[in-house]
Amino acid sequence: MAQTSEQKSLEAKRERLQNEIKEINRLLFAEKKEKGNVLDQMEALDQRINVRQELIRVTNQQSNLLNRQINVNIRSISKLREDLKILREDYANLIQKSYQNKTQSNRLMFLLSAENFYQAFKRLQYMEQYAKHRKKQGEDIIKKTDELAVLNRDLVTQRKSKERLLTENTKVKNELFGEIEAQKNLLRSIRQNETKYSAAIAQKRKEARKIDREIERLIKSAIVSTNKKAGKSGRTKFVLTPEAKLVANNFSANKGKLIWPVEKGIKSQGYGVYADKLYPGIKHRNNGVTIATDQGSKARAIFEGEVIAILTVPGGSRGVQIKHGNYISTYYNLSKLYVKKGDKVTVKEVLGDIYTNRFDGTTKLKFYLYQDSNRLNPEDWIYQL
């Protein structure tokens, strides 16, 4: 059965969501350690619930699409059967008449009994057309019989596909209910020790603000330094040389198609403001995106550029800032660096090892993107982030 473009699109989306759930399970739930940050556990569980809900929605769309196609096929099969019935009746009449004509008088006598040559010629034409019509009727019956067989096979396949989707959806829904219950249990345990949870929130926000301030300080410093070398003044935008402008234009032209800053991973926290899982009134902000990956993974440059700063936050990990014309990509939470300030890097060049948390075993890269001193949403620039 040939798939429609809508079917292919939904199936590709469903496979992507299934793979995302597998990666979430592998990267965020591989080890359940008591020392793990309860805030991270809540976020990871919420992410898995959201992806599973999206998977259920997409599977329902596929099931509805199959329903429509099944109904179309049923109507087509009914119409074909009616057409086939009429064709067979007409063909039977033709055969009967042909047999009667054959027994009453043969073709030669039919031609010889003509009054003149013109009438004989017309009778010959009629016999040929009659034979062709009978042959075509037979071919039409064979063709429509084959079409009916194909539609019946498609119908069986579609019904099996629908049953498979419904079975999978039931399983996913049961898993979703289990995860929602697990989230409720985690919420109950958090509420029993709200002081500890509040402290974890405060600490996480403090660390995020510290990183954000340092990133923006280094960018402004790089703008001032670069412009000073070019004999220009300005603290908010880079003065671009023709070469830097070319890099910036190429970078901009690749919006939505840039590679991931890791070879393999999942987005564990997106860009922007989001509500706290326990207290929706409390808002958190992520000025970049957080990507979970495998232990031992390395950060890689998303585009060609120049290393303009090495980021070091007291009490935290290290990071690298790369300038692509007037765009700056920042890779934070690195345990080891392979580049230094002033280095020219190429796309996919390894920048450093990503730090693995020794308490919960997670390996996460914090990735930020700026144009001059303006924040950008990396999800708009990195392919399918």
Side-chain angles (χ1 to χ4, degrees), residues 1 18 140 151 190 233 244 251 253 272-274 308 336 354 364:
M1 180 184 66
Q18 287 174 326
D140 285 348
L151 281 173
I190 290 171
S233 61
F251 188 93
V273 177
Y274 59 99
I308 57 169
K336 182 179 179 181
I354 303 169
K364 295 181 180 180

Side-chain angles (χ1 to χ4, degrees), residues 116-322:
N116 53 52
F117 178 78
Y118 178 74
Q119 190 182 66
F121 177 71
K122 296 299 288 183
R123 286 184 178 186
L124 180 63
Q125 279 188 319
Y126 167 75
M127 286 190 294
E128 287 176 350
Q129 288 172 356
Y130 185 83
K132 285 179 181 178
H133 177 63
R134 193 174 69 178
K135 183 182 178 184
K136 185 177 183 303
Q137 288 285 82
E139 289 172 348
D140 285 348
I141 288 172
I142 292 170
K143 182 182 176 184
K144 286 193 180 291
T145 302
D146 289 342
E147 285 179 17
L148 188 60
V150 170
L151 281 173
N152 278 320
R153 284 198 300 270
D154 282 356
L155 192 60
V156 170
T157 303
Q158 287 168 341
R159 281 174 171 159
K160 284 182 179 178
S161 296
K162 184 185 173 185
E163 287 172 9
R164 176 178 58 83
L165 286 173
L166 292 174
T167 301
E168 288 180 9
N169 229 14
T170 300
K171 182 183 175 185
V172 172
K173 284 177 182 177
N174 290 335
E175 289 169 342
L176 176 64
F177 294 147
E179 286 164 358
I180 290 172
E181 188 58 35
Q183 191 181 52
K184 288 178 182 176
N185 291 334
L186 187 56
L187 285 171
R188 280 193 288 270
S189 70
I190 290 171
R191 287 194 175 101
Q192 290 171 3
N193 195 347
E194 291 189 15
T195 305
K196 184 178 178 182
Y197 180 75
S198 299
I201 291 177
Q203 181 61 27
K204 190 164 187 174
R205 294 176 81 174
K206 182 180 178 182
E207 290 172 0
R209 284 196 298 268
K210 192 188 296 183
I211 296 166
D212 293 341
R213 282 196 300 268
E214 185 61 11
I215 287 172
E216 294 183 1
R217 185 190 71 79
L218 288 172
I219 289 173
K220 287 173 183 175
S221 175
I223 290 173
V224 171
S225 176
T226 302
N227 292 352
K228 188 176 180 180
K229 287 178 183 177
K232 305 287 184 179
S233 61
R235 301 178 61 85
T236 58
K237 288 188 176 182
F238 285 100
V239 174
L240 299 179
T241 62
E243 294 81 3
K245 188 175 288 187
L246 181 62
V247 174
N249 289 339
N250 288 338
F251 188 93
S252 180
N254 280 278
K255 184 177 182 179
K257 297 179 287 185
L258 294 167
I259 66 165
W260 281 50
V262 294
E263 188 173 343
K264 190 177 182 181
I266 58 164
K267 179 180 66 181
S268 65
Q269 182 59 61
Y271 175 88
V273 177
Y274 59 99
D276 186 79
K277 301 300 177 285
L278 184 58
Y279 303 108
I282 298 176
K283 305 297 180 185
H284 304 284
R285 180 175 186 86
N286 191 359
N287 286 340
V289 293
T290 306
I291 300 172
T293 185
D294 292 300
Q295 183 173 347
S297 292
K298 303 179 188 303
R300 61 182 187 173
I302 62 166
F303 203 76
E304 64 174 292
E306 178 187 352
V307 178
I308 57 169
I310 299 300
L311 181 64
T312 305
V313 177
S317 300
R318 291 184 286 175
V320 174
Q321 283 188 330
I322 300 176

Side-chain angles (χ1 to χ4, degrees), residues 70-113:
I70 286 169
N71 289 333
V72 168
N73 264 1
I74 289 171
R75 288 194 294 271
S76 298
I77 286 170
S78 178
K79 178 70 168 55
L80 265 177
R81 281 175 177 160
E82 286 296 318
D83 292 346
L84 203 51
K85 182 182 175 183
I86 294 169
L87 274 174
R88 281 171 175 162
E89 288 174 354
D90 289 346
Y91 190 70
N93 290 331
L94 281 173
I95 295 298
Q96 187 179 13
K97 287 179 181 178
S98 176
Y99 179 76
Q100 288 171 350
N101 290 334
K102 185 177 181 181
T103 56
Q104 290 171 6
S105 60
N106 59 41
R107 293 177 63 187
L108 183 60
M109 289 300 296
F110 180 63
L111 290 171
L112 292 175
S113 63

Side-chain angles (χ1 to χ4, degrees), residues 19-52:
N19 289 332
E20 192 172 340
I21 288 172
K22 287 178 185 176
E23 288 298 281
I24 289 171
N25 290 338
R26 190 172 66 83
L27 298 172
L28 301 181
F29 291 90
E31 296 181 39
K32 294 182 179 178
K33 298 185 177 180
E34 291 180 5
K35 292 181 180 178
N37 188 320
V38 72
L39 192 58
D40 290 337
Q41 289 178 36
M42 277 295 298
E43 288 177 352
L45 193 55
D46 192 67
Q47 184 182 359
R48 190 164 65 179
I49 287 171
N50 289 338
V51 175
R52 223 179 275 284

